[in-house]
Amino acid sequence: MAELDENWLIAFEAALWLHFYLDRQGAGICDEVALRYADLPPREAAFAYADDYEIQRVDVDWLTVPGVCRFRR
């Protein structure tokens, strides 16, 4: 099995945390799974992983997304 670059892993996990509030352990990402995304830059890999497993971003302001129900007074 190929080895993962430690710096890439750190950046990948940072992107997971920033955009999805997940770490590798919490997301269940072992080295074998991470290798599937290792050809991408870390941020893109985090988004690709989230897209593959239908994980929603947490850094989105949902009140500004069109079509989202808004509270009215």
Side-chain angles (χ1 to χ4, degrees):
M1 175 167 35
E3 297 257 341
L4 288 166
D5 178 77
E6 188 65 30
N7 291 325
W8 183 90
L9 279 173
I10 291 168
F12 175 62
E13 189 159 5
L16 284 171
W17 185 255
L18 177 65
H19 299 290
F20 305 99
Y21 287 159
L22 288 173
D23 59 9
R24 284 182 56 214
Q25 184 178 8
I29 303 172
C30 62
D31 287 351
E32 184 178 331
V33 172
L35 275 170
R36 296 180 203 157
Y37 301 93
D39 61 328
L40 299 171
R43 184 175 184 273
E44 288 181 34
F47 279 95
Y49 175 81
D51 189 48
D52 289 347
Y53 291 92
E54 298 179 357
I55 300 169
Q56 292 189 349
R57 288 175 59 172
V58 294
D59 64 339
V60 174
D61 179 4
W62 293 106
L63 294 178
T64 62
V65 175
V68 174
C69 180
R70 292 183 172 89
F71 294 102
R72 294 189 177 129
R73 292 183 190 207

